[in-house]
Amino acid sequence: MRLLFLGDVVGRAGRNAVAERLPALRERWALDFVVINGENAAGGFGITEAIYNDLLDAGCDAVTLGNHAFDQREALVFAERADRLVRPVNFPKGTPGRGAQLIEACNGARVLVVNVMGNVFMGTSLDDPFRAIDAELEACPLGEVADAAVVDFHAEATSEKQAFGHFLDGRATLVVGTHTHTPTSDHRILAGGTAYMSDAGMCGDYDSVLGMKKDEPIQRFLRKLPSGRFEPAEGEGTLSGLAVEVDGRGLASRIAPVRIGGALSEARPAFWE
């Protein structure tokens, strides 16, 4: 089974990178399942139903979110009917939408997709992410109910991300970090067979500050005051994420970073090319 995870889509540059490149990659790499983090897709803050549908049309099977999940007010409504949209599972009880979903891949496999938000340096305190993911994996165990399990851990601190990866080693196919918009080079298969990467990076314009036009973030660092709004950078976007090949047990057998287009050096999974 072939999985592709793509990091946070930031604004139009990120959406264009997905729309222009994912359909061809899906066919060329014979992908069975694609997950995209879409929480910054609408102008850098949140997601709309139209954008959610565009990501599905481009070849995505599930869209995960994060701390900007409901920045667009319409998400409070359409999250209930969007059965491939997955918001953080550790939001308080009664939050619209779902934090985990079992979705059928194109090869017939059952893929559990879970979105979890960290608590360290995130400016908020949600339910314990470790206990929250435990409950989901106990309800839908890998190798019994699910043929694969993809966990998007939306968090700031690499220490929390690494602890989370080791906590789930052998119980999930992939544990991948999102939120910091910067791809890390620590992609690997952990001792128990779980693919791990601290951050998948973003799909967006890297000639920026975390996908935003540079001037306003720089001014805020210099003056400690806002002088305008954050706006997504509009240059060529990079498609950034992680490719994972899954064995018959639902664990990772091969992984490779993906970076295509834009300002970053290109990286592709040689085993699929």
Side-chain angles (χ1 to χ4, degrees), residues 15-214:
R15 301 198 308 269
N16 287 345
V18 171
E20 293 167 7
R21 299 181 184 278
L22 181 57
L25 290 177
R26 179 130 201 178
E27 181 177 356
R28 178 174 179 173
W29 291 346
L31 295 172
D32 297 302
F33 202 80
V34 178
V35 182
I36 297 177
N37 184 291
E39 72 133 15
N40 301 114
F45 300 94
I47 190 169
T48 65
E49 188 168 17
I51 291 173
Y52 162 73
N53 287 325
D54 286 344
L55 294 175
L56 296 184
D57 290 343
C60 175
D61 295 288
V63 178
T64 54
L65 298 173
N67 57 303
H68 293 294
F70 299 108
D71 281 9
Q72 302 295 322
R73 293 185 64 183
E74 68 176 87
L76 291 165
V77 178
F78 86 83
E80 289 293 328
R81 60 176 176 265
D83 59 2
R84 293 171 181 260
L85 187 70
V86 186
R87 50 83 173 155
V89 71
N90 51 333
F91 272 173
K93 186 177 180 180
T95 301
R98 55 197 56 77
Q101 187 75 326
L102 191 65
I103 301 171
E104 185 175 340
C106 66
N107 66 346
R110 301 158 300 174
V111 182
L112 176 67
V113 180
V114 189
N115 189 199
V116 190
M117 200 158 95
N119 278 333
V120 179
F121 304 138
M122 291 295 287
T124 186
S125 182
L126 301 184
D127 294 344
D128 183 351
F130 291 84
R131 288 185 172 86
I133 191 64
D134 245 352
E136 293 300 329
L137 294 181
E138 286 174 6
C140 191
L142 183 65
E144 297 178 30
V145 179
D147 300 303
V150 177
V151 181
D152 173 354
F153 190 44
H154 198 77
E156 180 77 24
T158 50
S159 57
E160 190 179 21
K161 290 178 176 181
Q162 290 173 3
F164 206 73
H166 290 297
F167 181 67
L168 296 182
D169 189 17
R171 297 192 288 156
T173 308
L174 169 64
V175 176
V176 59
T178 56
H179 180 63
T180 65
H181 296 194
T182 304
T184 56
S185 60
D186 62 341
H187 55 279
R188 61 197 188 276
I189 298 176
L190 302 177
T194 293
Y196 174 82
M197 187 179 194
S198 289
D199 204 283
M202 70 175 178
C203 296
D205 178 8
Y206 279 86
D207 185 18
S208 67
V209 176
L210 303 183
M212 298 296 168
K213 292 180 180 178
K214 293 172 280 190

Side-chain angles (χ1 to χ4, degrees), residues 215-235:
D215 288 349
E216 179 60 21
I218 291 171
Q219 286 303 312
R220 292 193 188 191
F221 280 114
L222 290 173
R223 302 177 60 198
K224 312 303 181 187
L225 293 170
S227 59
R229 298 177 59 188
F230 285 132
E231 297 181 357
E234 298 173 344

